[in-house]
Amino acid sequence: MYKRVLIKISGEQLSGKFESGIDPELVGWLAREIKEISESGTQVVLMVGGGNFVRGAQVVGHGVKRVTGDHMGMLGTVINALALTDIFEAQGVRTRCLSNIFADQVAEKFVHRLANKHLEKGRVVIAAGGTGRPYLTTDTAAVVIALELDCEVVLKATKFDGVYDKDPADNPDAKKFETLTMQQAIENRDIKVMDKAALGLAMEHKVKVVVFDLTKKGNIKNASAGKPAGTLIS
Ligand code: UDP
């Protein structure tokens, strides 16, 4: 069992059965799954994406600059984090929302020592605002925060139960990798499951990444226990 893990959930996943926004039933279920691992002693950091609201690069135009788009994207992650915080608490999970983008009215500041203190007290830390800087993604933020908080592994949730040699959505013959080296994951252009910048940082600092299907019952528990789940990239 890992002592401390970071789980990265994209905005698209949080929207569940909907086209955009947040699926509260799915988030409630997720809270119960995470409650189990948190109560068994694994400290959990959740990095939330914001693609269910805005992706910076996609809103550029008509005068909207990339930096503004990225600010909008980061604020989208705050919207997700706020919803998650309330839904998790309603499920009895002790949670704190810490933001890397200034949002004093709605979240605590992401301060390294404060995050550590919450984790040591068994609270789930929900990290909002990515890195707080434009031109980056929440995948990169996941690796940075995992390094900053000494998480032993980044559990990257996806729609599929791991990394495939081709997009499994379009290729029924796609083959799943049980394990991959970081080098392979970076060099293979068909592998788009995680940002290359994030993987590069993970390789440099030897952070393990597990790509897995979050929605499969017991998968979060297995992945946090170091048991086979999805694809291990190390
Ligand atoms: N973003 C950013 N800096 C960060 C993290 C995120 O500028 O450190 C912006 C960026 O515009 C990104 C958006 O926030 O497109 C939402 O994040 P992301 O695309 O990673 O969300 P996901 O795809 O995981 O839902």
Side-chain angles (χ1 to χ4, degrees):
M1 188 176 87
Y2 291 116
K3 186 163 184 297
R4 190 176 281 183
V5 301
L6 183 143
I7 304 174
K8 159 70 210 290
I9 306 173
S10 70
E12 189 187 6
Q13 279 176 317
L14 293 175
S15 60
K17 56 183 174 291
F18 303 118
E19 295 268 305
S20 65
I22 299 159
D23 179 346
E25 278 173 15
L26 176 86
V27 176
W29 178 85
L30 189 65
R32 293 190 291 279
E33 290 283 297
I34 290 179
K35 188 173 189 211
E36 219 180 297
I37 61 166
S38 172
E39 285 177 350
S40 70
T42 298
Q43 298 172 3
V44 182
V45 183
L46 266 184
M47 168 62 63
V48 288
N52 51 334
F53 291 115
V54 179
R55 284 205 180 89
Q58 289 170 359
V59 296
V60 175
H62 302 281
V64 177
K65 299 183 199 101
R66 174 63 192 261
V67 171
T68 308
D70 284 341
H71 285 152
M72 291 163 69
M74 285 188 271
L75 291 173
T77 72
V78 177
I79 296 177
N80 282 330
L82 292 179
L84 255 68
T85 305
D86 271 13
I87 298 172
F88 271 50
E89 288 191 338
Q91 296 293 335
V93 187
R94 289 181 306 133
T95 307
R96 287 289 188 279
C97 180
L98 271 56
S99 179
N100 271 313
I101 189 159
F102 305 136
D104 290 357
Q105 208 162 355
V106 294
E108 292 176 26
K109 283 195 176 72
F110 190 99
V111 173
H112 170 77
R113 282 178 187 274
L114 180 61
N116 260 324
K117 200 170 82 184
H118 287 319
L119 290 166
E120 276 156 16
K121 288 187 174 165
R123 296 169 182 149
V124 171
V125 166
I126 300 185
T131 61
R133 310 306 328 164
Y135 289 97
L136 295 169
T137 65
T138 51
D139 277 358
T140 301
V143 178
V144 172
I145 300 295
L147 283 164
E148 189 176 344
L149 295 177
D150 290 320
C151 296
E152 291 162 279
V153 66
V154 171
L155 305 176
K156 156 93 188 179
T158 62
K159 276 187 282 192
F160 298 101
D161 61 338
V163 182
Y164 285 76
D165 59 350
K166 298 179 257 199
D167 186 349
D170 305 327
N171 302 282
D173 62 334
K175 282 199 196 72
K176 182 181 150 188
F177 297 104
E178 293 306 320
T179 59
L180 270 174
T181 65
M182 278 295 166
Q183 188 95 27
Q184 287 170 321
I186 292 169
E187 282 172 3
N188 188 333
R189 284 175 188 215
D190 293 326
I191 296 177
K192 299 192 181 99
V193 74
M194 195 166 189
D195 277 21
K196 300 291 180 188
L199 288 173
L201 190 66
M203 181 162 89
E204 189 180 345
H205 296 282
K206 301 190 169 48
V207 178
K208 279 190 284 190
V209 175
V210 173
V211 175
F212 75 117
D213 177 5
L214 167 92
T215 59
K216 216 162 118 187
K217 182 140 185 59
N219 241 6
I220 297 179
K221 195 171 162 190
N222 284 340
S224 320
K227 291 188 186 149
T231 300
L232 171 68
I233 314 177
S234 59

